Amino acid sequence: MLIAQDENKLVEANHASRNNQYVCPGCQQKVILKRGLQKISHFAHRWGGCQTASENESQIHLAGKIALKKILAVSKQPVQLEHYFISIKQRADLCLTKQQIIVEYQCSPISLQRLQQRHNGYKMVNYQVYWILGNPYLKHRIDDSLVSKFGRYHSKLGFYILYYDSMANRFILRHSIVEKAGKYYWQQSVFKSLQEWQKLIKDWQPNYLTTIPLNQQVQQLKRMQQQIVRGQINCKELLTTCYLARKNLIGCPWICHCKSTQIPIYGKKSLQWRIWLLIQLFDSPRSNLKITDLKAIYNQLINKYALDFVQIEVIPDFQRILFWNYIKELAQFGYLRLFYDKLIIIRKPVWYPDLEHKLGCEKEYLK
Ligand SMILES: [Zn+2]
């Protein structure tokens, strides 16, 4: 850590003296000043076991905090390093007390549960939190877990994750994150200051919703088929549902495939949830569903397929929009008719016995 307490004063390791005694602002245990030619000055607990400070804090983390403090200080607002909140027993990497904003520079792995806990803690003291990811995260591809923990949303940039490379002193923004036939795609922008970030947002023309060509859908199906054969598929429950309905997952109607890229509300599982919903709607003897039935199905769908997001609050709106878009698509293709209080099944979408038959009817997808 970079900050320790000397009597009642907080002192930055940079300005600390070896002759003084310092304690951790969190647990009040003694800390030692560590200073070396190759190292960033910092404090370490003498005995460890502190609940509020992570030990073995990497040099990348220390450097990032110092760099981010400089960048944020441009706004002429006081920026506090490692602000300790007594009421929630949490220490924030950086804190803009006036605007009630916290910036966490996350370099080490963190579980969804732990992240949610910390995030909720800051919400309890009425602070907004921005999680910025450190260098170790730059090596990882974007996956469901990362999107759900660190994904944020902006009307122009779409879903994005923000990184700070503390070795090259620059932000890396992976934005316009979309799912396209079971894979994530994103665009990357680099900037160095808050001004550049504002300019980027101002000039950006959103372009992330594009159509998905048939060959990418076919690749997804082939990948899924291989996963099924190897028993590696991550949708065993859906596979069983299809099996019980005597249907081949791979042979699902073309209407299940999204024709355009999707915002990652359901992670990489757009195809799965659409197949699941199709079975719920069309694979029962009933020919109409009350809106209340539909709502119950919707709630099940959310439980099964929607990703949890720690940092975005508008998610329920997105979930509903994607759900209703699909229902409308089914109506548009004449499979059902929608009334204000019910939904009537007109005809059932055709399932194919296998991939070959399905590819023989690819016109269905293209129409
Ligand atoms: Zn401590």
Side-chain angles (χ1 to χ4, degrees):
M1 54 192 209
L2 294 165
I3 301 281
Q5 202 174 318
D6 169 16
E7 315 231 314
N8 285 321
K9 269 196 336 279
L10 292 177
V11 180
E12 232 177 274
N14 252 346
H15 309 299
S17 146
R18 281 193 200 279
N19 303 326
N20 288 9
Q21 288 277 353
Y22 298 97
V23 297
C24 164
C27 65
Q28 299 295 318
Q29 286 187 74
K30 276 185 188 162
V31 290
I32 321 160
L33 177 63
K34 297 215 164 176
R35 193 173 269 169
L37 282 176
Q38 303 295 320
K39 282 188 170 174
I40 296 168
S41 303
H42 62 282
F43 297 102
H45 284 72
R46 190 161 289 200
W47 312 112
C50 176
Q51 297 291 317
T52 62
S54 56
E55 285 308 304
N56 306 319
E57 198 180 347
S58 67
Q59 291 286 303
I60 284 173
H61 189 234
L62 293 169
K65 285 197 285 194
I66 294 170
L68 287 169
K69 186 188 171 193
K70 274 189 198 141
I71 292 167
L72 292 169
V74 174
S75 63
K76 295 204 176 86
Q77 301 292 343
V79 184
Q80 276 191 39
L81 268 170
E82 299 176 356
H83 183 71
Y84 182 63
F85 291 87
I86 297 168
S87 61
I88 52 169
K89 295 199 171 76
Q90 281 180 210
R91 235 164 44 125
D93 284 340
L94 293 140
C95 183
L96 288 97
T97 36
K98 224 172 181 180
Q99 291 109 314
Q100 311 256 97
I101 290 174
I102 282 167
V103 174
E104 284 281 20
Y105 185 55
Q106 188 67 34
C107 290
S108 55
I110 184 167
S111 70
L112 181 63
Q113 197 192 7
R114 182 86 189 102
L115 182 74
Q116 189 78 64
Q117 265 173 13
R118 287 187 68 85
H119 199 81
N120 292 348
Y122 292 136
K123 262 167 80 179
M124 262 163 53
V125 287
N126 290 320
Y127 271 75
Q128 270 193 62
V129 202
Y130 291 84
W131 296 83
I132 300 179
L133 297 182
N135 299 57
Y137 280 95
L138 279 164
K139 284 179 256 160
H140 297 289
R141 279 190 65 83
I142 291 179
D143 59 13
D144 284 354
S145 149
L146 208 65
V147 169
S148 120
K149 289 179 199 165
F150 303 108
R152 300 181 68 88
Y153 177 77
H154 182 276
S155 57
K156 271 180 143 183
L157 300 168
F159 282 74
Y160 68 89
I161 297 175
L162 185 57
Y163 303 75
Y164 185 73
D165 177 346
S166 67
M167 270 137 83
N169 290 320
R170 55 184 199 167
F171 290 94
I172 291 166
L173 179 69
R174 291 184 176 158
H175 60 94
S176 309
I177 301 170
V178 288
E179 188 223 352
K180 198 173 180 183
K183 283 187 173 177
Y184 277 124
Y185 290 81
W186 61 88
Q187 298 172 40
Q188 184 161 301
S189 301
V190 174
F191 60 95
K192 292 205 154 191
S193 65
L194 294 181
Q195 288 91 325
E196 282 180 45
W197 155 250
Q198 278 154 359
K199 187 172 174 345
L200 176 83
I201 290 177
K202 193 166 153 268
D203 298 344
W204 189 258
Q205 301 293 332
N207 61 353
Y208 51 88
L209 296 182
T210 55
T211 51
I212 306 177
L214 178 72
N215 69 329
Q216 293 201 4
Q217 311 282 15
V218 176
Q219 278 166 20
Q220 182 185 16
L221 287 168
K222 288 187 172 160
R223 270 198 319 271
M224 281 174 85
Q225 198 162 43
Q226 281 171 2
Q227 286 165 350
I228 293 172
V229 171
R230 296 191 200 127
Q232 293 169 333
I233 193 114
N234 59 0
C235 58
K236 290 212 170 75
E237 203 191 326
L238 180 63
L239 209 57
T240 314
T241 309
C242 285
Y243 178 77
L244 293 173
R246 294 163 194 260
K247 289 173 167 27
N248 177 0
L249 182 77
I250 301 296
C252 63
W254 280 113
I255 189 96
C256 298
H257 295 263
C258 297
K259 287 207 165 126
S260 69
T261 46
Q262 299 285 303
I263 50 172
I265 294 298
Y266 298 96
K268 285 200 263 183
K269 292 193 167 177
S270 295
L271 178 60
Q272 279 96 318
W273 77 260
R274 287 165 66 108
I275 296 175
W276 181 86
L277 183 57
L278 206 78
I279 294 175
Q280 309 306 310
L281 295 179
F282 295 94
D283 235 63
S284 80
R286 62 192 168 188
S287 62
N288 68 62
L289 277 93
K290 288 195 208 109
I291 289 297
T292 45
D293 299 333
L294 197 59
K295 277 188 184 150
I297 294 178
Y298 172 74
N299 290 336
Q300 271 190 61
L301 172 78
I302 297 303
N303 278 333
K304 280 179 190 290
Y305 289 104
L307 282 191
D308 291 321
F309 284 84
V310 177
Q311 305 191 53
I312 315 177
E313 308 207 334
V314 287
I315 293 304
D317 299 334
F318 287 131
Q319 290 166 344
R320 268 193 293 276
I321 291 169
L322 292 190
F323 174 80
W324 283 107
N325 282 351
Y326 186 33
I327 298 284
K328 284 179 203 156
E329 209 178 315
L330 290 164
Q332 191 195 334
F333 280 85
Y335 295 116
L336 52 84
R337 201 170 290 157
L338 198 55
F339 295 88
Y340 74 96
D341 61 342
K342 66 180 175 205
L343 177 157
I344 292 182
I345 306 294
I346 308 288
R347 64 184 175 94
K348 297 187 175 188
V350 178
W351 286 71
Y352 305 97
D354 52 40
L355 189 53
E356 241 174 48
H357 282 83
K358 184 162 168 172
L359 294 180
C361 298
E362 62 191 36
K363 274 189 202 139
E364 284 287 316
Y365 174 70
L366 299 169
K367 82 180 179 195

